[in-house]
Amino acid sequence: MDYLEAGANILITASYQATIQGFESKGFSKEQSENLLTKSVEIALEAREMFLKEHLEKSIPIQHPILVAASIGSYGAYLADGSEYSGDYGEAGTKEFLKDFHRRRLQVLAEAGPDLIAFETIPNKLEAQAYVELLEECNINIPAWLSFNSKDGVHIVSGDSVIECTTIADKCAKVGAVGINCTPPRFIHGLILSIRKVTDKPILIYPNSGERYDGEKKEWVESTGVSDGDFVSYVNEWCKDGAALIGGCCRTTPNTIRAIQRTLNQGFN
């Protein structure tokens, strides 16, 4: 609710690392695992309804629609070994394996009734290809976005070209937007320009705070981050570059979202 109060227009479900395989490894049945995925969407939908009801009762106008996006993290996010920040899956790194891993999870989340499907923090083009093929094979009729993470402003974390990855998303009619998340703000300008070269789809941008994640220690290195003020200082530039959707990822807060909204409102006035 804090993010909605801060001005967020899209709620992303808490299913990024939630997988049927992960739940089953903890002793849950397949049915229970699928119910937990469904619950992640239901919680977000309920939060939206509570927010809208409260504002209606107080006669507070809602400026924009509020959408719920069902989050699907990479195979590396399930492994929780830092490979979501490298894209190196070893012998498991085949397209068919990744499709089998994600298929039922995608179906369950789509059936739960979100407005969008968010494929987030995609670390390599192979997984992006697996996602777009699943959208077609499973006949998913909910708009999806593909969002990659970059290590240098030119490549995604596996070393694959961001242009090649964007092209995969651009060719899929079921993908409504493509962009970058969980990437330091300083890299976003160049990434937007690269993405715009190969797609006319809306570009979404939700960077992290600029801090670096240490996959071995499983912690964020705080000294590398930026303040909310520094973060939002980039917002107008990103809009001019062509970003259509802007938000925050890891280590950003409702205060970050509030500052982004304030900056965007000033730009439109």
Side-chain angles (χ1 to χ4, degrees):
M1 294 293 284
D2 289 344
Y3 285 92
L4 290 176
E5 295 291 350
N9 304 124
I10 299 177
L11 284 180
I12 300 178
T13 61
S15 53
Y16 174 74
Q17 283 186 296
T19 64
I20 295 170
Q21 297 89 336
F23 288 133
E24 288 181 331
S25 72
K26 298 299 182 181
F28 292 93
S29 68
K30 182 178 181 181
E31 181 181 5
Q32 289 172 324
S33 300
E34 292 184 359
N35 287 341
L36 287 170
L37 287 175
T38 298
K39 188 66 175 178
S40 71
V41 177
E42 292 175 345
I43 289 171
L45 293 172
E46 182 181 350
R48 176 175 67 183
E49 290 307 307
M50 291 173 59
F51 178 80
L52 293 175
K53 181 180 179 181
E54 179 180 315
H55 278 61
L56 179 63
E57 291 174 347
K58 295 180 179 179
S59 299
I60 302 174
I62 303 296
Q63 301 298 326
H64 302 282
I66 297 171
L67 305 177
V68 170
S71 173
I72 295 180
S74 68
Y75 176 65
Y78 155 75
L79 294 176
D81 61 357
S83 58
E84 66 193 293
Y85 298 104
S86 70
D88 183 3
Y89 296 159
E91 294 181 359
T94 69
K95 185 175 65 176
E96 291 306 314
F97 174 87
L98 293 172
K99 286 167 65 175
D100 288 342
F101 177 82
H102 289 296
R103 181 175 285 105
R104 184 56 186 156
R105 178 193 192 189
L106 170 61
Q107 292 171 330
V108 170
L109 287 170
E111 291 166 2
D115 303 298
L116 304 163
I117 300 291
F119 296 103
E120 303 188 276
T121 324
I122 305 170
N124 57 52
K125 65 181 180 182
L126 186 69
E127 198 153 21
Q129 188 64 50
Y131 287 148
V132 299
E133 291 184 15
L134 281 177
L135 287 171
E136 297 289 350
E137 292 172 12
C138 298
N139 194 28
I140 302 299
N141 293 316
I142 299 170
W145 80 55
L146 264 63
S147 185
F148 302 90
N149 57 333
S150 174
K151 62 180 181 179
D152 58 10
V154 178
H155 306 89
I156 64 172
V157 293
S158 63
D160 294 329
S161 162
V162 70
I163 289 179
E164 291 180 2
C165 294
T166 301
T167 300
I168 291 171
D170 183 67
K171 291 179 179 178
C172 181
K174 293 182 180 291
V175 174
V178 60
I180 299 292
N181 75 290
C182 212
T183 295
R186 67 183 182 276
F187 292 142
I188 299 301
H189 167 71
L191 290 164
I192 296 174
L193 298 182
S194 294
I195 292 170
R196 180 51 69 213
K197 290 178 181 178
V198 290
T199 188
D200 291 325
K201 295 181 187 288
I203 298 174
L204 71 153
I205 298 298
Y206 51 118
N208 58 33
S209 66
E211 296 165 80
R212 179 178 59 83
Y213 185 75
D214 187 322
E216 293 184 1
K217 295 182 179 179
K218 296 187 177 182
E219 63 184 21
W220 289 89
V221 181
E222 295 185 7
S223 61
T224 60
V226 298
S227 67
D228 287 339
D230 290 335
F231 185 102
V232 300
S233 69
Y234 292 99
V235 168
N236 286 329
E237 178 185 44
W238 296 338
C239 289
K240 292 176 183 177
D241 292 336
L245 299 166
I246 297 176
C249 196
C250 294
R251 308 288 282 184
T252 61
T253 69
N255 286 336
T256 313
I257 300 303
R258 187 173 291 107
I260 291 172
Q261 187 200 47
R262 187 182 307 117
T263 300
L264 292 175
N265 287 342
Q266 290 172 349
F268 291 130
N269 292 331

